[in-house]
Amino acid sequence: MRILVTGGTGYIGSHTAVELLNAGHEVVIFDNLSNSDIEVVDKIKKITGKSLVFYYADMLDKPALDKIFDQEPIDCVIHFAGLKAVGESVKNPYLYYHNNIVGTLNLIEAMQTHGVTNMIFSSSATVYGTPKSVPIDETFEKGQCVNPYGWTKSMIEQILTDIQRANAWNVVLLRYFNPIGAHPSGLIGEKPNGVPNNLMPYITQVAIGERKELGVFGNDYDTPDGTGIRDYIHVVDLANAHVCALKKIGDRSGLSVYNIGTGKGYSVLEVIRNFEKVNGIPIPYSIRPRREGDLASYYANADKAKRELGWQPKYGIEDMVRDSWNFQQMQGRSVSSEQDS
Ligand SMILES: NC(=O)c1ccc[n+]([C@@H]2O[C@H](COP(=O)([O-])OP(=O)(O)OC[C@H]3O[C@@H](n4cnc5c(N)ncnc54)[C@H](O)[C@@H]3O)[C@@H](O)[C@H]2O)c1
């Protein structure tokens, strides 16, 4: 298939482009490079030995989107483009609603105009809000999101659900748990702007000496070691879930929703210990107060994706911490970063 990957130079989009090319698909990327680098295009080509088409375009620019669809015969859109920093979304909700929602509406309109009716969307486990129990499966009701970023994901899910129903689209909503790791080549990975929001980039920045210590938010949760438990998934496994989800698009199955996680949770301290053991580097940390909105334990029941998509995660926590560190070492220290602790 010929796949349009929006946000395809970003963290998950770039890994998905690699897996799509490896699986024999053709890839067209557009990205406004607001949170990624143009060099990623060459790195994807280097990893795969295959070519792809790149457009520098913003999804807020409707004529630019129309131009891409005029030029490219697209079978399916995999929609990653969006802003994703939770804290920033709390400070500047308008930016998030405007970019993520208006951008997606523009994309939908361009797709309608050009008769493209297949989409796989990057959603998030955050749409479950505070779940009644764990593991979380797809039959759980969506909940109250705790920040504007989460609401953009929940609202886009609703928009796509309604569009699918009204216009006979094929839509797959993939609800990611916690992607970490990097491509084993070390060429592509997660490069957060500023102070990382997430655990793994923070750990690797401490490991490389860019930050003094890791803050662990709360050690009095109702978990075996008191720290929060999350479902970490290797980004290459996550990328492959998109390739598997194309099967649903091919089957013209209407609307499908899948959790994409490993189904196994690790605590913050377990992740730190695994990183230290596998990479031989101590990670200094200090316990800080709980963060508002953080839950004790959050992990997936991912059986539906395994059953219906034939998708199976291949990488374990050791691979995740090794590949994250490999990527950070290939990047080196960022000159512009500030010590925040
Ligand atoms: N990383 C996670 O933990 C996680 C978890 C759940 C869901 N998601 C979702 O997955 C998707 C990809 O996440 P990621 O971690 O790869 O993020 P990322 O920031 O690395 O990638 C997003 C890409 O979208 C581009 N982009 C943003 N706004 C754009 C616009 N208006 N027009 C064109 N391009 C635009 C950015 O430049 C970037 O390259 C996002 O939608 C995110 O919300 C991510």
Side-chain angles (χ1 to χ4, degrees), residues 2-317:
R2 190 164 176 84
I3 316 290
L4 178 64
V5 182
T6 80
T9 44
Y11 174 46
I12 306 170
S14 58
H15 288 81
T16 302
V18 166
E19 298 308 316
L20 288 167
L21 289 165
N22 284 343
H25 297 289
E26 293 170 17
V27 170
V28 177
I29 288 177
F30 86 73
D31 202 299
N32 68 356
L33 304 177
S34 59
N35 197 34
S36 53
D37 298 326
I38 186 66
E39 298 96 76
V40 168
V41 172
D42 283 336
K43 289 177 177 170
I44 296 170
K45 290 181 186 165
K46 191 168 174 192
I47 292 169
T48 59
K50 300 198 174 155
S51 67
L52 61 89
V53 180
F54 174 78
Y55 289 89
Y56 172 67
D58 193 311
M59 59 180 175
L60 294 173
D61 179 357
K62 243 210 107 251
L65 295 189
D66 280 327
K67 216 167 136 196
I68 296 171
F69 283 99
D70 282 342
Q71 286 170 7
E72 304 288 341
I74 298 298
D75 297 307
C76 179
V77 175
I78 307 188
H79 181 28
F80 296 101
L83 297 173
K84 63 160 184 179
V86 168
E88 187 184 47
S89 81
V90 175
K91 287 191 197 120
N92 194 349
Y94 178 82
L95 177 70
Y96 274 66
Y97 288 116
H98 188 242
N99 189 72
N100 293 3
I101 306 275
V102 176
T104 300
L105 288 172
N106 284 343
L107 178 65
I108 290 170
E109 197 179 333
M111 289 171 66
Q112 288 278 43
T113 309
H114 294 84
V116 180
T117 57
N118 297 320
M119 183 187 286
I120 298 172
F121 173 60
S122 281
S123 190
S124 164
T126 192
V127 301
Y128 291 112
T130 305
K132 59 182 192 292
S133 58
V134 283
I136 302 163
D137 72 45
E138 295 87 347
T139 64
F140 283 31
E141 294 284 329
K142 283 165 69 178
Q144 294 290 314
C145 295
V146 286
N147 52 63
Y149 163 73
W151 280 118
T152 69
K153 292 285 147 191
S154 190
M155 288 175 188
I156 293 170
E157 280 203 358
Q158 189 59 49
I159 292 168
L160 289 172
T161 301
D162 294 336
I163 295 280
Q164 185 281 322
R165 205 176 288 136
N167 302 301
W169 279 31
N170 298 297
V171 170
V172 181
L173 307 175
L174 297 182
R175 295 176 178 162
Y176 311 157
F177 279 68
N178 292 70
I180 60 172
H183 193 268
S185 65
L187 289 175
I188 53 174
E190 186 174 15
K191 269 174 81 175
N193 273 337
V195 181
N197 266 303
N198 299 330
L199 177 63
M200 186 49 68
Y202 214 110
I203 289 180
T204 61
Q205 291 190 5
V206 170
I208 207 151
E210 199 165 316
R211 302 188 187 279
K212 271 198 241 118
E213 64 170 18
L214 172 73
V216 175
F217 299 106
N219 66 347
D220 55 354
Y221 285 108
D222 184 16
T223 60
D225 65 21
T227 63
I229 290 178
R230 296 291 177 272
D231 186 338
Y232 297 98
I233 173 162
H234 196 293
V235 66
V236 172
D237 279 330
L238 175 58
N240 269 311
H242 296 78
V243 180
C244 294
L246 285 172
K247 177 179 173 305
K248 280 276 146 186
I249 298 290
D251 293 347
R252 307 194 57 74
S253 0
L255 179 74
S256 320
V257 183
Y258 298 99
N259 285 343
I260 305 295
T262 63
K264 176 159 173 47
Y266 288 93
S267 74
V268 176
L269 292 184
E270 284 175 316
V271 175
I272 297 173
R273 300 288 171 245
N274 272 286
F275 187 94
E276 292 179 326
K277 192 175 95 206
V278 170
N279 298 315
I281 298 169
I283 300 296
Y285 66 86
S286 64
I287 303 297
R288 310 223 179 130
R290 291 181 181 197
R291 279 189 308 200
E292 205 186 320
D294 276 357
L295 300 172
S297 190
Y298 211 84
Y299 56 94
N301 174 334
D303 291 350
K304 188 179 174 204
K306 292 176 190 165
R307 202 171 54 242
E308 293 188 11
L309 302 179
W311 169 79
Q312 187 79 37
K314 294 194 187 89
Y315 295 96
I317 190 76

